[in-house]
């Protein structure tokens, strides 16, 4: 753990003119919700040991990652595997004190780390909770996010976060605009990831193989988007120093959220099929990826020498990677 200090960007006052994420919508969240749909009252859907992260985060036989899943999201991807909490904002309101206590409880239960899952929109509360328990928390803090972060906020978190676990989802502006309503996604995420790597340096594992500091960049291959995946890998090869991060290449995409058959986004109504069901507004995402799609991306990574990290098997496309959101531990 690194020492703590405070920052104005992350103070409770930041909720009054919210600029915590790149959307910088300026909402006064003490009285209303912002683009992310959240007020300043922290909501959590689950705070429990979690075994489905990368082996250096969750361990392989025991322990687990102390994952705290926050409700709501600043990005809101249409295919989100955690749709129930990210879009529907399922969860329970908790105080800063309760959040701090959940960190300590997870540590007592044997968690290898505290894994903050999609915490950006609640950062002032999260930092306040960390401040409350800084003398008793001895395990690393993991920041598990969609990659859509402000580099200034990443920098302000340098004294709180030991391990960064960002996605790098797309390079193409039209893809990020269509699926995440964020045409600036790559510009923001690539800058934020460079800042993360600058802060932590190369990954460090302890003698159990558990990560104590570093960056793991996750990339989920999407149906029909393998060329964008390949362009992203080339960008990583050319722009990020070799050995300065782990790549986690994922094949586990399953249609979920607004792309599932019969489900549409209210803002993007689809047609009705012959059975009277409404079709997805994203028909191209209504299938799993093919073996060809995944293997062409995986082989490109290997050809580029991006072999430090994790590569899922194609058979990993299972919904069981999504834990039950049932308020466990909240
Ligand atoms: S965290 Fe929410 S309220 Fe704050 S800038 Fe981002 S979308 Fe707007």
């Amino acid at each position: 753990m690194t020492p703590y200090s405070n920052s104005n960007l992350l103070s409770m006052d930041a909720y009054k003119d919210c600029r915590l994420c790149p959307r910088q919508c300026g909402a006064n969240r003490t009285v209303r919700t912002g683009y992310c749909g959240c007020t300043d009252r922290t909501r959590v859907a689950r705070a429990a040991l979690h075994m489905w992260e990368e082996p250096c985060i969750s361990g392989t036989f025991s322990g687990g990652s102390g994952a705290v899943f926050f409700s709501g999201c600043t990005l809101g991807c249409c295919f989100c595997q955690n749709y129930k909490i990210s879009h529907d904002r399922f969860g329970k309101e908790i105080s800063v004190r309760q959040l701090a206590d959940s960190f300590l409880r997870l540590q007592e239960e044997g968690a290898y780390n505290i894994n903050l899952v999609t915490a950006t929109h609640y950062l002032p509360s999260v930092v306040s909770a960390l401040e409350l328990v800084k003398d008793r928390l001895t395990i690393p803090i993991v920041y598990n996010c969609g990659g859509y972060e402000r580099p200034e906020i990443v920098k302000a978190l340098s004294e709180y976060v030991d391990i960064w676990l960002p996605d790098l989802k797309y390079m193409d502006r039209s893809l990020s605009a269509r699926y995440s309503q964020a045409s600036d996604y790559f510009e923001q995420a690539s800058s934020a990831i460079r800042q993360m790597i600058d802060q932590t340096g190369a990954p460090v594992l302890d003698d159990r193989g558990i990560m104590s500091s570093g960056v793991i960049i996750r990339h989920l291959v999407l149906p029909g988007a393998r060329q964008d995946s390949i362009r992203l890998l080339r960008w990583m090869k050319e722009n990020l120093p070799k050995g300065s991060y782990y790549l986690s290449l994922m094949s586990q995409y399953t249609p979920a959220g607004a792309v599932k058959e019969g489900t549409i986004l209210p803002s993007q109504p689809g047609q009705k099929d012959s059975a009277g069901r409404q079709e997805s507004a994203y028909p191209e995402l209504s299938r799993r990826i093919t073996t060809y799609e995944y293997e062409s991306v995986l082989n490109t990574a290997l050809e580029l020498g991006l072999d430090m990290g994790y590569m899922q098997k194609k058979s990993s496309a299972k919904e069981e990677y999504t834990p039950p959101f049932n308020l466990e531990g909240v």
Side-chain angles (χ1 to χ4, degrees):
M1 287 281 293
T2 42
Y4 290 81
S5 71
N6 216 334
S7 158
N8 288 339
L9 276 175
L10 304 177
S11 74
M12 284 295 191
D13 275 349
Y15 282 132
K16 292 180 181 164
D17 175 26
C18 187
R19 301 187 184 277
L20 290 166
C21 83
R23 300 201 189 271
Q24 298 201 55
C25 66
N28 180 353
R29 293 172 55 197
T30 63
V31 293
R32 69 176 178 91
T33 59
Y35 178 95
C36 56
C38 301
T39 67
D40 62 348
R41 292 183 291 284
T42 309
R43 292 173 68 83
V44 168
R46 181 180 168 90
L49 294 179
H50 184 58
M51 294 305 299
W52 296 292
E53 308 287 22
E54 286 75 0
C56 67
I57 299 294
S58 290
T60 45
F61 300 107
S62 60
S65 180
V68 181
F69 289 86
F70 293 88
S71 311
C73 180
T74 62
L75 203 49
C77 308
C78 63
F79 55 84
C80 182
Q81 311 286 295
N82 296 342
Y83 203 86
K84 181 176 173 182
I85 60 171
S86 61
H87 287 246
D88 298 344
R89 294 186 280 283
F90 171 80
K92 185 177 157 192
E93 212 171 286
I94 63 169
S95 67
V96 166
R97 179 76 257 174
Q98 287 169 314
L99 182 59
D101 287 344
S102 73
F103 296 158
L104 291 178
R105 177 184 51 78
L106 288 165
Q107 177 172 261
E108 281 161 22
E109 289 174 3
Y112 291 128
N113 43 57
I114 299 299
N115 183 354
L116 306 170
V117 186
T118 319
T120 304
H121 48 300
Y122 292 126
L123 275 175
S125 311
V126 171
V127 164
S128 298
L130 288 171
E131 288 282 350
L132 283 177
V133 292
K134 62 186 178 187
D135 297 334
R136 286 176 285 165
L137 212 50
T138 57
I139 53 179
I141 304 297
V142 181
Y143 199 82
N144 185 339
C145 65
Y148 193 54
E149 305 293 335
R150 293 180 60 198
E152 302 92 325
I153 298 286
V154 171
K155 196 170 182 185
L157 283 168
S158 65
E159 296 175 58
Y160 298 93
V161 173
D162 303 282
I163 298 167
W164 297 90
L165 195 47
D167 293 333
L168 188 52
K169 294 173 187 283
Y170 345 81
M171 193 157 188
D172 189 308
R173 292 175 77 85
S174 61
L175 281 180
S176 61
R178 175 163 169 73
Y179 299 152
S180 303
Q181 290 76 53
S183 58
D184 62 343
Y185 174 83
F186 176 73
E187 179 189 324
Q188 300 288 350
S190 58
S191 301
I193 286 172
R194 285 186 210 252
Q195 179 64 35
M196 293 169 190
I197 291 173
D198 280 354
Q199 285 172 202
T200 65
V204 176
L205 305 189
D206 66 17
D207 53 14
R208 302 166 299 175
I210 300 297
M211 186 176 263
S212 49
S213 68
V215 177
I216 303 175
I217 302 173
R218 285 175 164 170
H219 178 68
L220 176 68
V221 181
L222 294 173
R226 71 181 186 89
Q227 292 295 356
D228 195 58
S229 297
I230 288 170
R231 284 180 63 212
L232 260 185
L233 293 174
R234 292 199 176 117
W235 178 87
M236 290 166 73
K237 162 81 176 172
E238 289 163 14
N239 293 277
L240 303 179
K242 187 169 172 65
S244 64
Y245 64 96
Y246 282 174
L247 168 65
S248 179
L249 197 59
M250 302 191 297
S251 62
Q252 70 187 56
Y253 175 82
T254 56
V259 306
K260 254 191 165 171
E261 190 183 12
T263 310
I264 57 166
L265 283 179
S267 58
Q268 295 178 289
Q271 304 294 312
K272 289 195 174 179
D273 68 9
S274 56
R277 295 170 304 185
Q278 285 176 312
E279 292 172 358
S280 167
Y282 307 96
E284 72 277 25
L285 291 179
S286 299
R287 63 168 174 88
R288 293 183 173 171
I289 58 170
T290 64
T291 300
Y292 170 72
E293 283 174 316
Y294 187 62
E295 288 190 351
S296 67
V297 175
L298 188 144
N299 289 338
T300 300
L302 295 175
E303 283 161 22
L304 292 170
L306 302 178
D307 53 2
M308 208 170 109
Y310 304 95
M311 295 184 180
Q312 277 184 334
K313 291 180 180 162
K314 171 65 176 62
S315 57
S316 297
K318 293 177 187 164
E319 288 177 351
E320 68 199 36
Y321 283 104
T322 305
F325 295 119
N326 53 9
L327 301 179
E328 182 179 344
V330 180

